[in-house]
Amino acid sequence: MLILTRKAGESLYLGDDIKVTVLRVQGNQVKLGFDIPRDLTVHREEVYLRIKEENLMAARATEQDFFMATELWSRKKKE
């Protein structure tokens, strides 16, 4: 892990397009500002890990899971 020390108001760049600025340090929290391209997705770590886990679970879905989902969808459409 790369470790850098920055003060409030100082910035760093990730590549040419991403600028991270330390806006405020208060107690054990750091407020960061990001200047990023509009098409770049950013998630908090806990959200990113949850999305990743859900994608893995979806990828593990069996053919029977898809069949059951199709059956449920068909029944719902008839109602």
Side-chain angles (χ1 to χ4, degrees), residues 69-79:
T70 303
E71 285 289 317
L72 289 171
W73 183 256
S74 295
R75 286 185 204 160
K76 186 166 180 105
K77 286 177 78 175
K78 292 177 183 175
E79 293 176 357

Side-chain angles (χ1 to χ4, degrees), residues 55-74:
N55 286 341
L56 282 173
M57 289 173 46
R60 289 185 196 139
T62 65
E63 190 173 306
Q64 185 176 1
D65 293 332
F66 289 116
F67 177 75
M68 291 174 62
T70 303
E71 285 289 317
L72 289 171
W73 183 256
S74 295

Side-chain angles (χ1 to χ4, degrees), residues 24-42:
R24 184 176 62 204
V25 179
Q26 186 173 12
N28 63 354
Q29 290 188 323
V30 177
K31 188 172 190 176
L32 302 172
F34 296 86
D35 292 315
I36 59 172
R38 286 193 156 280
D39 61 338
L40 183 66
T41 302
V42 177

